[in-house]
Amino acid sequence: MTQQVFARIAGTGSYLPEKVVTNDDLAKVVDTSDEWIAARTGIRQRHVAADGETTGDLAYHAAVRALEAAGVQASELDLIVLGTTTPDLVFPSTACLVQHRLGAAGCPAFDVNAACSGFVYALTIADKFIRSGAAKTALVIGSETLTRMVDWNDRTTAVLFGDGAGAVVLKADTETGILSTHMHADGSKKELLWNPVGVSVGFKENEPNAGVRINMSGNDVFKHAVKALDSVVEETLEHNGLDRHDIDWLIPHQANLRIIEATAKRLDMPMERVVVTVDKHGNTSSGSVPLALDAAVRSGKVQRGQLLLLEAFGGGFTWGSALLRY
Ligand code: COA
């Protein structure tokens, strides 16, 4: 009988740009307040990439830290998957740029665009490679510079987003690791959360919407996110024959504290067992889950052997989860 192979997290890393923008800083630019932002979203501050600092730069630094933590050399990697919706260039992929900088020439490297679910999608793909024997050591990154497409004059979106990156190194392991992953998408809700600018549709410089980047119907997105996340956590528990009380840590996408609290309630989890970084990071899209995971690992909250539930929801809509034994 062939032995089952799992993809196990061997090390985590993350990187945040130096510049911090607080809610009070934003209140000087648009008609908002720290009270409003904190009460509606839980966000207090976000990091913003410096001029010239790219998604690839953030990804590279997060990757170096993850490799260090895993004790893995870049030359040992046989797969790099990078979740992003804000790539440095149209092509080559940001994964290829990072691969070159790391000195990991030769292994496959590609980007995945699933908006805020990018890391969970990327992790799922890498898990499949490792389970199938196609890779033994994989680097999975979620990295974004979402503030590049924020309209700082639009208070309904500007207060929500930040920049950052997180990464994990996965290694084939015969004992345990990622137990299951679940991905979903519904392309029919495109206009509730989107950036209408693109290559193939044309850049339409002179149209009224030119320059307006992230478009979002906040209320609708909120409702869809809560419903989709409820359903995917149920699906994950059922698939693994687990009770909701078996989960040690919920590591959710960090978009809005109220969405996180709704999922925690569904799982009957006290907030002490939920990793929350949205207050410090804002919504970093693909960066958010691996940033939260790395923070929880480095602070000593998450311990080896514990059961972690990762989940995310984003534009597309896309949503997904991963259940893993750390
Ligand atoms: N500061 C102050 N007031 C603001 C504001 C801001 N930054 N943004 C909106 N408002 C105002 C609105 O104009 C509105 O005013 P009105 O009642 O006079 O029209 C009022 O606050 C309520 O707006 P509403 O949009 O109903 O608030 P909300 O409670 O739904 O919160 C979001 C708005 C965006 C915080 C919330 O809908 C949300 O987080 N949605 C999910 C977004 C998300 O997570 N997206 C990414 C998913 S990956």
Side-chain angles (χ1 to χ4, degrees):
M1 209 176 84
T2 30
Q3 196 167 29
Q4 191 174 359
V5 175
F6 297 93
R8 187 163 196 186
I9 295 181
T12 65
S14 62
Y15 183 80
L16 289 157
E18 216 173 285
K19 185 178 170 190
V20 172
V21 174
T22 65
N23 291 347
D24 286 334
D25 293 333
L26 285 178
K28 290 175 195 146
V29 185
V30 282
D31 182 15
T32 190
S33 65
D34 179 47
E35 292 70 34
W36 193 96
I37 303 169
R40 302 284 177 129
T41 70
I43 298 167
R44 292 275 179 189
Q45 61 169 54
R46 71 284 297 140
H47 290 249
V48 174
D51 285 347
E53 193 174 32
T54 66
T55 293
D57 293 331
L58 309 188
Y60 169 76
H61 293 302
V64 167
R65 289 174 183 177
L67 286 164
E68 245 169 46
V72 165
Q73 301 295 317
S75 56
E76 294 173 62
L77 293 173
D78 41 29
L79 175 70
I80 300 174
V81 192
L82 187 150
T84 192
T85 192
T86 48
D88 288 19
L89 305 166
V90 173
F91 67 86
S93 70
T94 306
C96 283
L97 304 178
V98 172
Q99 184 216 39
H100 174 64
R101 233 170 125 182
L102 289 173
C107 73
F110 56 91
D111 289 358
V112 174
N113 178 355
C116 297
S117 309
F119 177 78
V120 171
Y121 266 56
L123 188 71
T124 299
I125 294 164
D127 175 52
K128 306 282 184 212
F129 268 72
I130 289 181
R131 271 177 187 264
S132 71
K136 284 200 166 50
T137 311
L139 173 64
V140 183
I141 309 171
S143 184
E144 303 274 12
T145 46
L146 231 68
T147 65
R148 297 278 191 253
M149 48 187 194
V150 156
D151 175 358
W152 293 108
N153 297 313
D154 174 8
R155 68 178 183 173
T156 66
T157 53
V159 302
L160 302 176
F161 300 102
D163 301 330
V168 300
V169 173
L170 297 177
K171 283 181 89 168
D173 188 296
T174 50
E175 278 172 27
T176 193
I178 296 175
L179 302 177
S180 74
T181 53
H182 306 266
M183 296 193 296
H184 295 279
D186 176 1
S188 70
K189 307 288 186 304
K190 171 182 90 182
E191 278 144 40
L192 296 182
L193 177 55
W194 66 322
N195 179 344
V197 175
V199 179
S200 193
V201 296
F203 287 97
K204 299 180 186 164
E205 285 299 328
N206 300 319
E207 292 202 355
N209 250 4
V212 177
R213 314 280 172 80
I214 298 173
N215 285 237
M216 183 178 72
S217 305
N219 261 309
D220 292 320
V221 173
F222 191 99
K223 285 182 212 143
H224 281 285
V226 170
K227 213 168 137 208
L229 291 171
D230 271 1
S231 139
V232 84
V233 299
E234 288 296 332
E235 177 189 343
T236 311
L237 291 174
E238 205 175 303
H239 180 89
N240 291 281
L242 288 172
D243 181 83
R244 54 195 179 158
H245 300 112
D246 294 332
I247 309 292
D248 291 305
W249 289 100
L250 173 65
I251 306 185
H253 173 45
Q254 310 284 324
N256 183 314
L257 186 60
R258 290 186 293 144
I259 298 177
I260 295 173
E261 285 168 345
T263 310
K265 200 168 162 206
R266 179 78 167 197
L267 285 165
D268 194 25
M269 277 188 108
M271 286 306 284
E272 296 76 57
R273 289 200 286 131
V274 180
V275 178
V276 175
T277 51
V278 70
D279 52 333
K280 297 190 191 73
H281 302 169
N283 181 351
T284 57
S285 187
S286 295
S288 107
V289 171
L291 266 162
L293 173 64
D294 186 51
V297 166
R298 284 177 193 259
S299 68
K301 278 184 179 171
V302 163
Q303 299 287 324
R304 283 284 170 201
Q306 289 185 325
L307 203 53
L308 317 185
L309 177 58
L310 281 46
E311 47 85 333
F313 178 90
F317 290 135
T318 56
W319 64 101
S321 67
L323 183 80
L324 61 97
R325 181 79 59 195
Y326 178 67

